[in-house]
Structures are given as structure tokens and as C-alpha cells.
Amino acid sequence: MEIWINPACSKCRSALSLLDAEGASYTVRRYLEDVPAEEEIRAVLDRLGLEPWDITRTGEPEAKELGLASWPREEAARDRWVAALADHPRLIQRPLITADDGSAVVGRTEEAIREALARGRGRAGS
């Protein structure tokens, strides 16, 4: 399991605390420092079953500067959204957790984090 975090984010810190309390094995990726490439973002989106605009933090200053609110949310614009996330990683919703079963969740709630844990443990047979 891998978790993409911003250490300054309270939701990320809460997710790490829960993972630790549950004894989960995971790798931390500080995605603002270790910025994911467009291909990695596409792979995570596929695992999430979401579109790039679904994981974009539209309230960030960068989103306003880019005018994301006016960007179309359609397949033809998907590459433009992915490129924006790669160029401005602060726009990526956090924390993102990739589970061991190949799925992923946006871990903003305790329920989502527990879902990722269950998926990982289910595959490992725990």
C-alpha cells in the first residue's frame, strides 16, 4: 500500500495515524516533493475509477490562476486536466491510498481508509 501525502495536511496526518494504529504496512510518498508523472496520475485515476477533475482541489490558488472552474469536464479535456495535476501537484486531492488489490481510494474519511486497509488485508489473506 502506498499513501500520497502532504505532511502539512491534517487529513493526511489523520490517515497516517489510523494506518499506524491498525499496524498497516505502507509506503509514504510526499507527492509535492516526489511529483507524480502524468502516466502515474492516469494509473491512479484508473485505480480510483475517477476522472482528473474528481480529484482536483479546485479551491487552491493555482486552480484559480489556471481558471479550472471554466475547463470542460469531458473526455476531450482529460489530458489537459492530467497535465495540470502533474504540473501543479498541490491540486491533487489528498491523501490518495493505493491498496494492495490494485484499487485506490481518496482517504479523506476514516471509512475510506478502512476500505483500503480491508482491500489490502483481503488480498493478503489476513
Side-chain angles (χ1 to χ4, degrees):
M1 175 179 324
E2 182 177 75
I3 181 169
W4 293 10
I5 69 157
N6 173 351
C9 168
S10 63
K11 296 276 188 194
C12 293
R13 291 191 307 270
S14 294
L16 292 174
S17 292
L18 179 56
L19 291 174
D20 289 342
E22 293 293 325
S25 174
Y26 62 90
T27 302
V28 170
R29 179 171 187 172
R30 293 176 179 226
Y31 70 93
L32 297 179
E33 299 164 16
D34 182 9
V35 178
E38 289 184 30
E39 299 77 32
E40 291 177 281
I41 293 169
R42 284 189 188 90
V44 166
L45 287 166
D46 288 344
R47 291 175 78 165
L48 287 165
L50 296 173
E51 294 296 337
W53 45 86
D54 296 326
I55 66 161
T56 299
R57 297 174 55 84
T58 56
E60 294 291 330
E62 294 95 329
K64 293 181 186 353
E65 289 170 18
L66 293 169
L68 291 182
S70 66
W71 288 17
R73 296 179 178 215
E74 58 191 28
E75 181 62 32
R78 192 172 202 265
D79 288 343
R80 181 180 182 195
W81 282 87
V82 170
L85 293 174
D87 291 342
H88 305 276
R90 191 171 306 281
L91 296 175
I92 299 172
Q93 191 60 261
R94 59 189 183 249
L96 289 178
I97 302 171
T98 55
D100 294 339
D101 71 349
S103 64
V105 298
V106 179
R108 296 196 55 79
T109 65
E110 182 177 331
E111 295 77 24
I113 297 161
R114 290 192 183 285
E115 181 181 333
L117 280 166
R119 290 176 182 178
R121 291 180 177 154
R123 182 166 192 224
S126 303

